[in-house]
Amino acid sequence: MEDGDWVMVRPPTERDLWNPSLVDTESSKPLKLTFSGPAKHWTDAIPIGNGRLGAMVWGGVKEETLQLNEDTLWTGNPGNYTNPNAPEALTQVRKLVDNGQYVEATAAAVKLSGAPSDVYQLLGDIKLEFDESHLKYAEETYHRELDLDTATVRVKYSVAGVEFLREHFVSKPDQVIVAKISTSKSGSLSFTVSLDSKMHHNSHVHGKNQIIMEGSCPGKRIPPKANANDNPKGIQFSSVLDLQISDSKGVIQVLEDNKLRVEGSDWAVLLLVASSSFDGPFTKPSDSKKDPTSESLNKLESIKNLSYSQLYAHHLDDYQNLFHRVSLQLSKSSKSLLGNNLLKMEKVVSLVTNSDFKESEDEKISTSERVKNFQTDEDPSLVELLFQYGRYLLISCSRPGTQVANLQGIWNKDIEPAWDGAPHLNINLQMNYWPSLPCNLSECQEPLFDYISSLSVNGSKTAKVNYEASGWVVHQVSDIWAKTSPDRGEAVWALWPMGGAWLCTHLWEHYTYKMDKDFLKNKAYPLLEGCASFLLDWLIEGPGGYLETNPSTSPEHMFIAPGGKPASVSYSSTMDISIIKEVFSAIVSAAEVLGKTEDDLIKKVLAAQPRLLPTKIARDGSIMEWAQDFQDPDPHHRHVSHLFGLFPGHTITVVKTPELCKAADNTLYKRGEDGPGWSTTWKTALWARLHNSEHAYRMVKHLFNLVDPDHESDYEGGLYSNLFTAHPPFQIDANFAFSAAVAEMLVQSTIKDLYLLPALPRDKWANGCVKGLKARGGVTVNICWQEGDLHEVGLWSKDQNSLQRLHYRGTTIKASISSSRVYTFNRQLKCVKTYSL
């Protein structure tokens, strides 16, 4: 298992295909999260993952925990997501809305509610116990880090002059969690390892060097009843830990039939594999033919001859192929640095990054300290780190063939996680995938498309029975069983049949970035057809010849009805209509690409489009959230649903709808800056779409607020010490949205237009370079700037020719981009160089 040095030469990644004339383009600080001590809270631990398997590394010295997750471990069974009583209730609610009785409609709409989602579970823990001497480790030697460049966690400390090093990663190609423990003194490694879990489980030693843990998830989300018939079989799981040590020194002993003890070794390698009986959202666990223990043992058998270095090489090759596609460097102005006497050089060279301005600082400063300092030092390299961390997390929790990234990605420590850990479809699930296209990780979005396909199957039953409609529908919250019915509880959150429609906009967006007609024809279009069919049936005749949605809510937000009482149910909320406009536009555009414009469905959509309510401006100059200008009891509400048309939608644009943009500006002022992390990052992207760099940056800065886990209820938004974003508690969506919002500040696009640095905070990120971002039209974008001004642009398209309009500060030029050629433009947007890929 110990290998000599080796070198692997990889082909260049996308970020390496264009080299700017500014030579120094390396980030000033390593892309690392650093910690000066072991984790005290779960949000101090470090997340690692391969899309399916995840772990949180605590970095304890005397006792270490790797808390484990597997993405198919959920409570429950496939469900019946229909309600035959819904049509009668729907008729009643619609009549109340038509009569303007919104308070009564809100109460009656509870009859349309369904059952709660099932609950995301956990796998368990790897427990490591070291001897008593570790209690007296030299605290000044402790270092824990996550290296984003290699997706590797390292923990290092010294005990009595002996250095201990632990390395952890999760391999996608080999589907294994790997840990290596080594020491600087031969024969000095001794510890005990075991597996444990909060789940119903048992564990035992298998052979001489393995531990098997087998367990099950509850078959229902509620506590099992005494009656066995009311306690269906849940998802079964198994994990196997394999322990290997140095050949020349050390022994492995079996303790208590469920622990392994290493004595006097030079090093040890731990391999953890896991499997479950989950066989898709339509198969009951009791009908599954999968054997988790056999699958796990077979997986270990398949990698038994791979050395640690080989496993690591496979991991790096896979991970870096994705991560290395994009680089970002940001720095402050050289003038401000000089003015503050922070730059002490005889000569100033090209200022692309702040590597030329390294301040004399302790390199061991922890990431949490950097977050604390951000409000005063506004360190651009910390923005770089958080941007790339979002990309790292998406790579680590969503890969082809895995489940969708849930409310916590894949990382969860609780039997009853916040909000069930379930995908929420009124912002959170969609936000998880915002960075996948612009940040050059399109493969990571594949689980979302698989999930939409499953939802469409169950959703067609919900649409038919609940609403007597064709097509398919999904509501506000779902789970691994592709639940499509409304959530339980009040209409303000439960009654929202637009979840599937919002998800469908991701299908069209994927096409606009990738320009893949096969994907559009075979995957996207059939799903868009079903979605549009439902929306056409859901729309009903309203006053003035308009089509309306009734009942309708604006997600999780109330209004004051005439008469002074709060209500949530009315008709044609702005978000409803905005999403429908987006889906209708997408399917019409898709039909044009595929030659289907004469289809009956498209004709119906074209007839419906002009009959949708226009977006209205309220008396106070903001965008109206509902069809009527109701009083808002909570003007600072966390959701900004009525701005969907601005972002992520496209019906409100700076170029085409300046009056609505002014109203959107007023809306954001009215909403204010406070809110959960996901609200903060959504507002960042919204301000960016308005080309308002000052306010976009204010929201960036607003997120950098260190949350104290012991008092997290005192916070709104912010970051934990491991850079997880806070609602609070932890929700991963804002991590992803931050990356997407930063990309939006630097590049915006349509299929034919490319807007360069549209919301660059020139005084904060005066110098910088971004390489490898993607734009619509299949274009890869690279930009460098100096002292707030564009310096150089590199563009290419691998698979198709395109004609792009480049926009920068009022200047527009047309550029013909031929496939497989790189084009470099100067600050005047003149092409100065071109060459083949």
Side-chain angles (χ1 to χ4, degrees):
M1 295 293 293
E2 270 195 329
D3 302 290
D5 293 337
W6 51 269
V7 175
M8 183 165 64
V9 179
R10 298 183 180 87
T13 56
E14 291 196 54
R15 70 177 187 183
D16 302 318
L17 294 176
W18 179 75
N19 291 312
S21 59
L22 297 170
V23 292
D24 189 359
T25 56
E26 291 303 313
S27 179
S28 60
K29 295 179 182 177
L31 290 171
K32 293 183 178 182
L33 280 68
T34 59
F35 305 80
S36 57
K40 296 179 180 178
H41 303 88
W42 189 75
T43 49
D44 301 327
I46 300 175
I48 52 176
N50 68 359
R52 183 179 71 87
L53 295 171
M56 295 289 285
V57 182
W58 285 64
V61 178
K62 171 68 169 64
E63 297 178 348
E64 168 64 304
T65 299
L66 271 69
Q67 186 265 312
L68 308 171
N69 291 105
E70 202 274 357
D71 71 348
T72 63
L73 300 191
W74 284 73
T75 65
N77 271 256
N80 175 10
Y81 305 117
T82 64
N83 176 7
N85 298 319
E88 182 181 350
L90 180 63
T91 300
Q92 179 191 2
V93 172
R94 281 179 166 169
K95 185 175 181 181
L96 290 168
V97 169
D98 287 341
N99 293 336
Q101 296 173 277
Y102 304 119
V103 175
E104 293 79 1
T106 300
V110 174
K111 296 177 185 176
L112 292 167
S113 296
S117 68
D118 272 292
V119 186
Y120 185 49
Q121 300 290 277
L122 50 87
L123 175 57
D125 299 316
I126 299 176
K127 298 280 192 179
L128 302 174
E129 298 177 49
F130 293 84
D131 59 43
E132 296 298 316
S133 66
H134 279 58
L135 291 171
K136 300 178 181 178
Y137 75 98
E139 292 187 13
E140 70 278 6
T141 66
Y142 186 95
H143 181 74
R144 180 165 56 102
E145 69 176 29
L146 167 62
D147 185 350
L148 299 185
D149 191 61
T150 61
T152 305
V153 171
R154 295 180 182 87
V155 180
K156 186 170 64 174
Y157 59 90
S158 294
V159 177
V162 178
E163 183 177 276
F164 288 77
L165 175 65
R166 306 178 199 156
E167 300 167 284
H168 309 275
F169 64 91
V170 190
S171 168
K172 170 71 165 60
D174 296 311
Q175 288 297 312
V176 59
I177 298 174
V178 183
K180 182 176 182 180
I181 310 172
S182 57
T183 72
S184 62
K185 182 180 178 182
S186 179
S188 58
L189 180 61
S190 300
F191 64 93
T192 301
V193 60
S194 59
L195 295 178
D196 196 8
S197 181
K198 297 177 182 177
M199 307 290 286
H200 177 71
H201 78 284
N202 63 77
S203 65
H204 63 273
V205 170
H206 176 251
K208 297 180 180 179
N209 67 325
Q210 293 181 344
I211 304 174
I212 296 178
M213 180 173 70
E214 297 169 311
S216 61
C217 301
K220 298 179 74 172
R221 63 167 285 145
I222 58 175
K225 302 285 182 67
N227 183 348
N229 294 328
D230 200 30
N231 182 21
K233 183 177 183 179
I235 294 170
Q236 310 294 296
F237 65 84
S238 177
S239 60
V240 182
L241 178 76
D242 182 271
L243 175 61
Q244 302 177 31
I245 63 172
S246 51
D247 296 328
S248 57
K249 286 199 175 182
V251 294
I252 300 176
Q253 301 169 338
V254 176
L255 301 181
E256 303 169 24
D257 194 40
N258 60 4
K259 296 180 181 180
L260 295 174
R261 172 73 181 169
V262 174
E263 287 281 0
S265 180
D266 290 346
W267 52 262
V269 171
L270 289 76
L271 307 177
L272 189 287
V273 296
S275 303
S276 87
S277 64
F278 178 75
D279 198 18
F282 311 122
T283 302
K284 294 180 181 180
S286 59
D287 294 336
S288 174
K289 301 297 190 287
K290 299 180 74 173
D291 182 338
T293 299
S294 293
E295 284 194 12
S296 295
L297 289 170
N298 289 340
K299 169 49 64 178
L300 272 178
E301 180 69 18
S302 72
I303 62 174
K304 71 176 183 179
N305 293 324
L306 296 177
S307 69
Y308 176 83
S309 291
Q310 288 172 321
L311 290 168
Y312 193 52
H314 294 173
H315 159 68
L316 284 183
D317 191 45
D318 165 74
Y319 171 77
Q320 292 182 338
N321 175 54
L322 294 167
F323 187 74
H324 281 178
R325 292 176 182 176
V326 174
S327 64
L328 173 66
Q329 295 85 37
L330 303 170
S331 71
K332 298 177 181 179
S333 169
S334 60
K335 297 171 184 176
S336 65
L337 290 171
L338 284 163
N340 291 324
N341 295 317
L342 295 177
L343 177 64
K344 297 182 179 178
M345 291 182 173
E346 291 182 357
K347 184 178 180 180
V348 178
V349 294
S350 296
L351 301 176
V352 174
T353 77
N354 52 2
S355 60
D356 298 312
F357 308 110
K358 245 180 191 174
E359 301 171 30
S360 55
E361 62 182 8
D362 182 4
E363 291 185 357
K364 292 184 178 180
I365 184 171
S366 68
T367 301
S368 60
E369 286 299 315
R370 293 178 67 187
V371 174
K372 282 182 184 178
N373 294 338
F374 190 85
Q375 294 301 318
T376 52
D377 67 21
E378 299 184 55
D379 178 8
S381 68
L382 192 55
V383 176
E384 297 171 21
L385 183 66
L386 192 59
F387 168 84
Q388 293 286 24
Y389 188 52
R391 297 183 67 246
Y392 162 84
L393 290 172
L394 188 58
I395 294 169
S396 300
C397 75
S398 183
R399 296 288 206 101
T402 72
Q403 302 304 305
V404 287
N406 62 48
L407 211 56
Q408 297 181 181
I410 51 173
W411 299 280
N412 168 42
K413 64 179 172 60
D414 297 314
I415 298 290
E416 297 179 357
W419 300 288
D420 300 328
H424 283 57
L425 278 60
N426 62 7
I427 176 63
N428 315 96
L429 177 59
Q430 292 88 345
M431 184 177 276
N432 283 0
Y433 288 96
W434 282 357
S436 59
L437 293 169
C439 296
N440 210 337
L441 296 172
S442 61
E443 299 93 329
C444 295
Q445 201 175 22
E446 287 186 24
L448 182 65
F449 302 145
D450 294 339
Y451 193 53
I452 296 172
S453 295
S454 297
L455 291 169
S456 72
V457 174
N458 286 336
S460 63
K461 300 171 188 174
T462 306
K464 182 178 181 180
V465 175
N466 289 33
Y467 303 128
E468 299 176 332
S470 61
W472 59 277
V473 63
V474 188
H475 292 79
Q476 168 255 356
V477 66
S478 190
D479 54 30
I480 199 170
W481 308 110
K483 167 184 158 62
T484 52
S485 54
D487 193 13
R488 67 177 171 187
E490 300 299 321
V492 67
W493 68 80
L495 182 59
W496 194 71
M498 292 291 143
W502 188 345
L503 287 175
C504 275
T505 66
H506 285 246
L507 296 164
W508 175 245
E509 288 283 19
H510 185 84
Y511 171 75
T512 65
Y513 275 86
K514 303 294 287 185
M515 307 301 286
D516 181 347
K517 285 188 180 180
D518 287 338
F519 168 84
L520 185 64
K521 177 183 177 181
N522 299 321
K523 188 74 171 181
Y525 196 78
L527 292 167
L528 282 166
E529 281 185 307
C531 178
S533 295
F534 170 76
L535 294 175
L536 287 169
D537 285 352
W538 181 246
L539 289 162
I540 57 177
E541 293 285 339
Y546 286 108
L547 296 173
E548 67 180 27
T549 59
N550 174 8
S552 176
T553 61
S554 190
E556 303 182 30
H557 199 191
M558 307 286 284
F559 58 86
I560 302 300
K565 292 184 178 180
S568 63
V569 174
S570 62
Y571 65 96
S572 298
S573 72
T574 299
M575 189 184 219
D576 273 11
I577 302 303
S578 297
I579 290 176
I580 293 171
K581 287 177 180 177
E582 206 76 26
V583 172
F584 282 0
S585 175
I587 195 169
V588 168
S589 297
E592 291 171 355
V593 173
L594 298 175
K596 294 177 176 287
T597 53
E598 295 303 311
D599 289 5
D600 287 344
L601 177 67
I602 301 304
K603 291 178 180 178
K604 292 178 182 178
V605 169
L606 289 169
Q609 281 179 309
R611 299 181 64 196
L612 297 173
L613 277 173
T615 302
K616 299 179 184 177
I617 299 176
R619 292 186 298 271
D620 64 3
S622 65
I623 299 287
M624 279 172 53
E625 188 164 355
W626 298 275
Q628 295 186 35
D629 197 0
F630 295 124
Q631 180 185 343
D632 186 344
D634 183 10
H636 303 307
H637 193 266
R638 60 193 177 277
H639 282 263
V640 279
S641 305
H642 44 322
L643 296 186
F644 175 92
L646 177 61
F647 186 95
H650 307 280
T651 54
I652 300 176
T653 69
V654 170
V655 174
K656 295 181 179 179
T657 58
E659 289 301 313
L660 289 178
C661 282
K662 183 178 179 181
D665 189 293
N666 292 335
T667 304
L668 286 168
Y669 274 111
K670 181 179 175 181
R671 272 298 197 256
E673 297 181 352
D674 291 333
W678 59 262
S679 179
T680 301
T681 48
W682 192 359
K683 291 168 186 171
T684 308
L686 288 162
W687 281 119
R689 276 279 171 93
L690 291 171
H691 296 187
N692 190 319
S693 58
E694 177 188 353
H695 279 88
Y697 182 78
R698 281 176 65 92
M699 298 313 299
V700 166
K701 186 176 179 181
H702 194 73
L703 188 65
F704 285 89
N705 182 27
L706 187 66
V707 175
D708 179 357
D710 287 325
H711 303 93
E712 65 180 10
S713 61
D714 296 341
Y715 294 81
E716 199 169 14
L719 299 169
Y720 294 101
S721 70
N722 66 358
L723 295 189
F724 272 169
T725 49
H727 185 287
F730 161 56
Q731 272 185 214
I732 203 168
D733 38 26
N735 283 110
F736 299 132
F738 181 85
S739 303
V742 169
E744 200 73 20
M745 294 167 75
L746 302 176
V747 176
Q748 294 175 26
S749 63
T750 69
I751 290 180
K752 294 296 183 183
D753 294 273
L754 200 55
Y755 296 88
L756 306 172
L757 307 179
L760 175 72
R762 298 166 64 191
D763 55 333
K764 305 297 184 181
W765 306 338
N767 304 290
C769 195
V770 63
K771 296 198 290 182
L773 292 182
K774 289 291 187 179
R776 294 171 182 85
V779 177
T780 303
V781 183
N782 314 268
I783 311 174
C784 290
W785 62 95
Q786 283 183 304
E787 297 301 337
D789 289 324
L790 181 68
H791 177 77
E792 207 168 23
V793 181
L795 305 176
W796 72 79
S797 177
K798 281 190 174 180
D799 302 316
Q800 62 271 318
N801 301 328
S802 65
L803 182 66
Q804 292 284 329
R805 291 183 293 264
L806 307 188
H807 304 267
Y808 177 67
R809 289 196 197 164
T811 299
T812 300
I813 64 107
K814 290 184 178 180
S816 181
I817 308 296
S818 299
S819 65
S820 299
R821 291 195 66 80
V822 179
Y823 297 81
T824 299
F825 299 84
N826 64 14
R827 66 187 67 203
Q828 286 82 33
L829 297 185
K830 292 182 179 179
C831 186
V832 294
K833 185 166 62 174
T834 179
Y835 55 88
S836 297
L837 284 174

